[in-house]
Amino acid sequence: MGYDGPKGAKVLLINSDTDSLIGTTTTGYNGHWTYDVPDGINVAAVFQHDDGDFQYNTTARPYLNIPSAPDNGYDSFESDTVGNSPSQWDDQNAEVVNSYASDGSQSCRNYFQPAFGNYAIRRTGLAASPADVVISYRETSNSGGFTYKLLNGSGNAIFKVGSGNPQVEVVSGNGGDELISQPSPNYEEWRRFSLTLDWANNSFDVTWSDLTGNENDITRTSKPFINNSSSVSEAWIGTEDLPNTNGEMRGYEWIDNVWGGV
Amino acid sequence: MSTISGTVTLNDGTTTSGVIVTIVDTEADTIMATTTTASDGTWSYTTGTNTTVHVFFEYEDTSTGTYYTGDSRPYVNTTG
């Protein structure tokens, strides 16, 4: 025999760290309630119920610790010093800037204009098998584009994605090179690749998004890895002569919110 | 003005300082104030009249790392 809690009781969610009200809701069937609260805070849930005849005393539930979102390996460059190199990466000519950020207030600007095959920023020594990876980017009129790729323990690419100002390119296994978009305008808009990696089947799904909403999302699924692997050893952003991009890949773009295993 | 007050006791009947007392204006759904108990467990807060507030309590015993579930007192009416 169970106990059914009251329907229609008011629930107040309070941020105990800031002493501010997050929101209110009411209980539904069996007294159940849910509420989405921000990550990484302490919450007190407080209850009130007036059934028309009685106003009830209640027991609060303080110290509901909402854990921070798990470290997902993204770098938004927020902990770096503006004007310095991105601290989590090896770089050849990149610096953290406080302009044109898509996540937080800082981003990484790449000034590197190297020969093909050189990295602008990279992070080595990883041993991760992330389910999701992402990179946000914004090109300029001086940008030729970039390639973002993850390498396996043998130094071979698992996949490559890139932009050639504006050609959007996805490189997968079995010779799969696909031009998936040529957005307009060519540059000065934040765009993003979001990938889901299926390590069991050595394949990935990729969605390209224009964060301004000027272009529809484009998704490709079950693209095979270029080289099979079970983990990432290196995250690499630099210049490569990707197909369909007129061989223009070179620097001068902003990067933000990028998975680098950090 | 009206003053609301009380004494917080732990389950074993002892009193303690440092219990956080939060007063919620349940008509406006805002946090009106927070205060803490004195060493004898007492607390008080002066508020406006003709207001309905909800008072609840939070307490962490830092010496033992114990977090307490606190009773709350909704529907506290301050009269003029």
Side-chain angles (χ1 to χ4, degrees), chain A residues 10 16 21 46 48 58 60-61, chain B residues 26 29 54 58 69-70 72 74:
Chain A
K10 186 175 181 179
S16 300
L21 186 72
V46 183
Q48 301 174 208
T58 58
R61 289 286 179 267
Chain B
T26 53
D29 279 340
H54 184 149
E58 300 172 78
T69 296
S72 69

Side-chain angles (χ1 to χ4, degrees), chain A residues 12 14 44-49 56-62, chain B residues 2-8 19-27 30-37 41-47 51-58 69-78:
Chain A
L12 299 94
I14 293 164
V46 183
F47 311 96
Q48 301 174 208
H49 183 51
Y56 294 85
N57 286 334
T58 58
T59 299
R61 289 286 179 267
Chain B
S2 292
T3 298
I4 54 177
S5 61
T7 301
V8 176
V19 176
I20 300 170
V21 182
T22 302
I23 299 105
V24 183
D25 182 337
T26 53
E27 296 171 352
T30 58
I31 306 298
M32 184 175 287
T34 62
T35 185
T36 55
T37 58
T42 59
W43 64 273
S44 66
Y45 180 73
T46 300
T47 183
T51 301
T52 301
V53 300
H54 184 149
V55 184
F56 75 96
F57 310 93
E58 300 172 78
T69 296
D71 287 347
S72 69
R73 291 291 179 267
Y75 307 112
V76 177
N77 295 303
T78 64

